[in-house]
Amino acid sequence: MSYVFCNQCGHRNPPNSGFCSACGTVLDQPSERTIVLSAIDPLQDAPGNGDNARVVFDENTRGRGVLVMRSGAYSGDRYLLQPDVSSIGRHPDSIVCLDDVTVSRRHAEVQCTEGVYSVVDLGSLNGTYVNQIRIDEGTIEHGDELQIGKYRMVFFDGSQA
C-alpha cells in the first residue's frame, strides 16, 4: 500500500487522498484525477452523510483557475475562470452567476495577474470571505475556500492540477 504524505505537515494519508486528513492541505495530484468534496453542514458541526460532489479535472482545466461549488443548489458545479478578470454575482452576465438574495448583483471579482489569483469584494452587502475571513481584497491559493453569500466554493489553480 502506497501512502501519500502531506508536504505541509508530513501526515501519512491513505492512497488516492486529495486532501490531508490532519491539516486539510491539498495533496500532490497526478495530471488527471477525480477529487471528492465532502458535503458540509451549514453550521459546520459535522460532515454530510455521503452526499458528496464529484468533479473530474482534466486537460480542459490545465493552466486555468477553477472554482468548484461546495454547497448549495449548485454543489459540484465548476466554473472556469477567465485569464484576466472573472465576475461573481447575481447579474446574469457574471462568469459565476449565483441567483440568491444573499449575493449582490456585482458581488466580487477574481483577478489573475501574472499567475497570481486575487479576490476583490465590490462593496457587497454580505461580504466576501476567504477561508472564513472577511476580505475586501486578498490573494487566493490552490485549495482555499471562497464564500459568496450562502455559497462556498473551493479554488483550484489549474497550473497545479
Side-chain angles (χ1 to χ4, degrees), residues 4-85:
V4 178
F5 291 90
C6 177
N7 290 330
Q8 185 74 24
C9 70
H11 181 75
R12 184 177 74 172
N13 294 280
N16 302 321
S17 295
F19 298 92
C20 177
S21 61
C23 70
T25 300
V26 176
L27 299 174
D28 291 337
Q29 304 167 13
S31 62
E32 185 175 324
R33 176 143 185 195
T34 299
I35 297 174
V36 177
L37 299 175
S38 299
I40 59 170
D41 179 29
L43 299 175
Q44 296 184 342
D45 291 333
N49 297 341
D51 191 19
N52 297 329
R54 289 189 172 275
V55 180
V56 176
F57 292 92
D58 54 20
E59 65 278 350
N60 295 328
T61 60
R62 205 165 285 127
R64 293 182 67 183
V66 180
L67 286 174
V68 178
M69 190 63 66
R70 185 160 183 184
S71 66
Y74 306 114
S75 181
D77 287 359
R78 67 180 180 176
Y79 302 92
L80 288 174
L81 300 176
Q82 298 299 315
D84 49 0
V85 177

Side-chain angles (χ1 to χ4, degrees), residues 86-91 94-110 119-130 134-137 146-151 153:
S86 300
S87 57
I88 302 173
R90 229 177 44 237
H91 195 276
S94 298
I95 299 299
V96 181
C97 182
L98 304 172
D99 190 18
D100 188 79
V101 296
T102 61
V103 178
S104 299
R105 288 181 59 75
R106 300 196 191 285
H107 197 103
E109 289 180 342
V110 176
V119 178
V120 178
D121 185 87
L122 300 176
S124 65
L125 182 62
N126 290 323
T128 300
Y129 296 81
V130 174
R134 188 171 181 157
I135 56 107
D136 290 325
E137 183 174 347
L146 175 64
Q147 182 177 348
I148 303 288
K150 68 178 187 178
Y151 299 99
M153 298 166 273

